[in-house]
Amino acid sequence: MDELIVGTYEGFLLGYSIRTEDKNMKLKQTFATHSHTASVRCISIGGKFLASGGTDDKVVVIDLKTRQEHTVLMNHDGTINSVAFTHNGTHLLTGSDDGSIIITRTGNWQIEKIWKKAHGGQPVTAIAVHPSDKLALSIGGDKTLRTWNLIKGRPAFTINLASKGVLLPTEIKFSPGGDRFSLVSQQTVDVWTISKAGVEKRITCTSKPTTVQWLTDERLYIGLENGNIITLTVSDTKALTYPAHKQRVKSLHYENELLYSASSAGEIKVWSVDESKLVEINSCNAACRVTCVSLNRQNHLVKKEDNSDIEDEEEKAASEENNEESDDAEEITVPVKRKPGAFVTISYGDEVKDENDEDNKPPPKKKFKKRKRNKKPKSQKKAD
């Protein structure tokens, strides 16, 4: 059982459990919080934590076990446009209108790195973390695409998007394998290849593209301003079009052969994906204007329904039987695996440095003084 997390323009965070009953899928609301005083712009899930950023300059962290506010990060002085946990869940990257990117360690929530002028002082629009956690990509108001080395904690590459014909980029997402990523701009979606360091395919849409969701390293779905969803592979010349919503598609998410879509009118739909075909399974209305969605895939963090008394009694009886059997058994201690302390532990290749960036300046070399040894006088040596 998965749980869909929805951010809204009204500042709410909503949860919907996804259950299968009598071969029918149903969406039922599990929780609702109003931690933000303004619109929620972005959300991300890492381990048991849900992070959301909004136009109130706050990053709210919610514990998905207790469904309560865990902490609030007030490190930015502008709208939070992007929040992204690393895939191992050890760090949270946040980008803001104040022009900075901040890396915060989860757990103690201490800042480990700040790039104050990540995009020349212009707003940071979006951040995407590579599946390997070795690097991150960001786009901003300076019309550049920047690569950040998450091992050494410094910038690596900068690409001028205007020279590539990309204007006003709004979203960036990696494919599951990480060799490709999509870049959404005004009327096009560009597919980039990291190994070739350039644009592999440009997709021109009939309506303004709003969001992209990769299914595989080859196939992707694109949500449009007119409410349609189109799908194609990187090698396809024509796309299939599905009339999904009456208003613009705000967000897409794919998991376990299911595609979740949400419109600006608050309509949420679940689709089954059979090869390239979309079949609507169920839908509901959040009664709010949806801005973003994510999926909580951890079953133990999904709150159960209050009317599931039969299931609770069965689980209780099973646990009692297990306790009786374990009374005579010996206790076995299992060592707990620790998460890596650094950003990542994988080596990174050669990088192009920005000489004007203070983060790239090497630290000053330390001078060490030679220690003088006290020599004994010759007369003392003879006496010895």
Side-chain angles (χ1 to χ4, degrees), residues 1 47 58 65 106 117 129 282 285 315 331 335 346 361:
M1 181 182 64
K58 296 192 302 184
K65 285 186 177 180
T106 57
K117 295 183 179 180
V129 180
N282 203 347
N285 199 299
E315 289 181 2
E331 292 185 0
I346 307 172
K361 292 181 180 179

Side-chain angles (χ1 to χ4, degrees), residues 300-315:
H300 65 285
L301 298 180
V302 181
K303 189 177 180 181
K304 294 181 179 180
E305 295 181 12
D306 296 333
N307 58 359
S308 57
D309 296 332
I310 298 175
E311 293 180 3
D312 291 341
E313 289 178 2
E314 290 178 355
E315 289 181 2

